[in-house]
Amino acid sequence: MELQDLITFFGYMSLINFGVLLFSFTIITTTGKWVHRLHGKIFNIPDETVGKSLYLTIAFYKILIILFNVVPWIVLKLMS
């Protein structure tokens, strides 16, 4: 696999993952209480805890995207 192919792969992977992150954030913020009630029922946790859990999940997902998608893409761009 060529270096340019890897750069393209990591670039598209980053865009797709940030798109999923943006979509998830949009759904959670626009639907509000409905998402909190749904996740509270599914995981059997109180409504106050659901918001914190969703926030931490999105934050963790963003860190993973940066660590495993964006950083390798930047390094490969610098190498080329």
Side-chain angles (χ1 to χ4, degrees):
M1 188 174 253
E2 298 285 327
L3 185 62
Q4 191 60 38
D5 293 336
L6 285 173
I7 292 171
T8 305
F9 173 73
F10 278 103
Y12 281 125
M13 187 168 57
S14 298
L15 287 175
I16 290 168
N17 279 305
F18 273 118
V20 169
L21 179 70
L22 182 64
F23 177 74
S24 301
F25 176 76
T26 304
I27 293 298
I28 289 171
T29 56
T30 58
T31 56
K33 294 286 184 190
W34 180 78
V35 170
H36 287 250
R37 282 194 315 268
L38 178 68
H39 283 88
K41 287 179 185 176
I42 291 173
F43 298 112
N44 197 21
I45 54 177
D47 197 28
E48 306 83 40
T49 311
V50 173
K52 194 181 300 184
S53 299
L54 290 173
Y55 175 76
L56 289 173
T57 302
I58 288 178
F60 184 65
Y61 185 59
K62 182 171 61 172
I63 290 169
L64 289 177
I65 292 171
I66 292 169
L67 185 65
F68 291 112
N69 295 325
V70 178
V71 170
W73 177 76
I74 291 171
V75 169
L76 289 170
K77 287 292 267 188
L78 291 174
M79 286 175 54
S80 65

